[in-house]
Amino acid sequence: MQKKNYQRMLEQLISAIPEGEAPRLLLHSCCAPCSSYCLEYLAQYFRITLLYYNPNISPREEFEKRTEELQRLVSRLPMKYPAQVVVPEYRPEEFYNAVKGMEQLPEGGERCLVCFRLRLEKAAQYAAENGFDYFCTTLTISPMKNAAALNEISEELSRIYPVKPLPSDFKKKGGYLRSIELSREYGLYRQNYCGCVFSKQEAERREAGKDP
């Protein structure tokens, strides 16, 4: 089966937007650096609300730091259609309950897929309840994240919640490199782990040279 080119699908969708219109997009944000290019690109065509729902992030201080960086970026980044930020209450137990029994699985495996779905489902639900045209996530900008899996989860959720998934693979067309440039330009805090306590432990092991 031929792999889907999600970037091309996005470009085709954008080209079909009637002139003068700007659909409403609920964009799940994982952090400011990943959101930077996504906003620069998408805010030309969509009216964006960023949903900062990340109960996986640990500890609370890290969650708050990333939240503040996202809000700072949004306040400074030039956008044709200025974005808004929504930050649900920090409830890490939602993440731990979802991944119970998967604590020892390696980074990038089944635990991460469960975490993706947890966050994307919140985005789909919020988007449907608040009348958005589309929803998607900034997570596909990371070379370490499975863009096909993220898009497939979004497509599945769109059959449960009445809102359309926006196809994305933001790392394409130099998107990831541009996010690094924007992070430098705006002095954004770039963390060295995905966010959860398990990814932090793996990062610490790598830095200590103990990762098998």
Side-chain angles (χ1 to χ4, degrees):
M1 183 181 293
Q2 186 177 7
K3 290 184 178 179
K4 292 183 179 180
N5 187 323
Y6 293 103
Q7 174 60 31
R8 186 178 301 153
M9 292 168 65
L10 175 57
E11 290 170 357
Q12 291 172 345
L13 186 153
I14 288 172
S15 68
I17 296 174
E19 186 175 353
E21 291 189 14
R24 295 183 68 212
L25 169 65
L26 192 284
L27 179 62
H28 166 262
S29 169
C30 57
C31 63
C34 288
S35 300
S36 59
Y37 167 73
C38 300
L39 285 171
E40 182 182 66
Y41 175 35
L42 295 173
Q44 303 173 76
Y45 314 104
F46 299 92
R47 298 184 188 276
I48 300 172
T49 294
L50 289 151
L51 181 70
Y52 193 74
Y53 173 70
N54 299 292
N56 57 305
I57 293 176
S58 177
R60 175 182 285 274
E61 291 75 19
E62 180 74 16
F63 176 87
E64 292 174 349
K65 187 171 185 178
R66 296 191 194 193
T67 302
E68 290 168 2
E69 282 294 88
L70 178 64
Q71 292 170 331
R72 184 170 70 86
L73 171 68
V74 169
S75 71
R76 295 182 59 196
L77 187 70
M79 287 179 271
K80 180 178 180 180
Y81 301 107
Q84 298 178 323
V85 181
V86 172
V87 184
E89 184 179 351
Y90 178 57
R91 292 179 175 173
E93 67 274 10
E94 294 177 354
F95 168 70
Y96 290 116
N97 289 338
V99 302
K100 189 173 182 180
M102 303 180 183
E103 293 86 353
Q104 302 306 315
L105 295 180
E107 189 75 4
E110 183 65 24
R111 186 183 65 238
C112 293
L113 293 177
V114 170
C115 182
F116 294 162
R117 184 184 173 90
L118 173 69
R119 292 185 280 170
L120 279 166
E121 182 157 18
K122 175 68 79 170
Q125 182 181 23
Y126 186 95
E129 290 176 351
N130 291 276
F132 285 84
D133 299 298
Y134 297 96
F135 78 101
C136 74
T137 177
T138 62
L139 285 164
T140 66
I141 199 169
S142 171
M144 305 300 292
K145 301 294 188 293
N146 187 329
L150 287 160
N151 280 279
E152 287 164 7
I153 292 169
S154 294
E155 290 166 4
E156 178 189 341
L157 290 169
S158 73
R159 294 190 286 271
I160 300 172
Y161 300 93
V163 61
K164 291 176 283 188
L166 191 76
S168 73
D169 193 354
F170 295 122
K171 71 179 72 64
K172 300 292 187 180
K173 297 291 184 74
Y176 176 66
L177 294 176
R178 178 59 180 157
S179 74
I180 294 174
E181 291 175 356
L182 286 166
S183 295
R184 291 196 188 109
E185 183 179 339
Y186 288 93
L188 299 177
Y189 161 64
R190 290 182 67 86
Q191 60 286 341
N192 67 347
Y193 68 104
C194 179
C196 74
V197 64
F198 312 114
S199 62
K200 184 176 184 180
Q201 290 168 353
E202 286 205 14
E204 289 171 348
R205 286 197 296 271
R206 285 195 300 271
E207 291 175 4
K210 296 178 182 178
D211 210 25

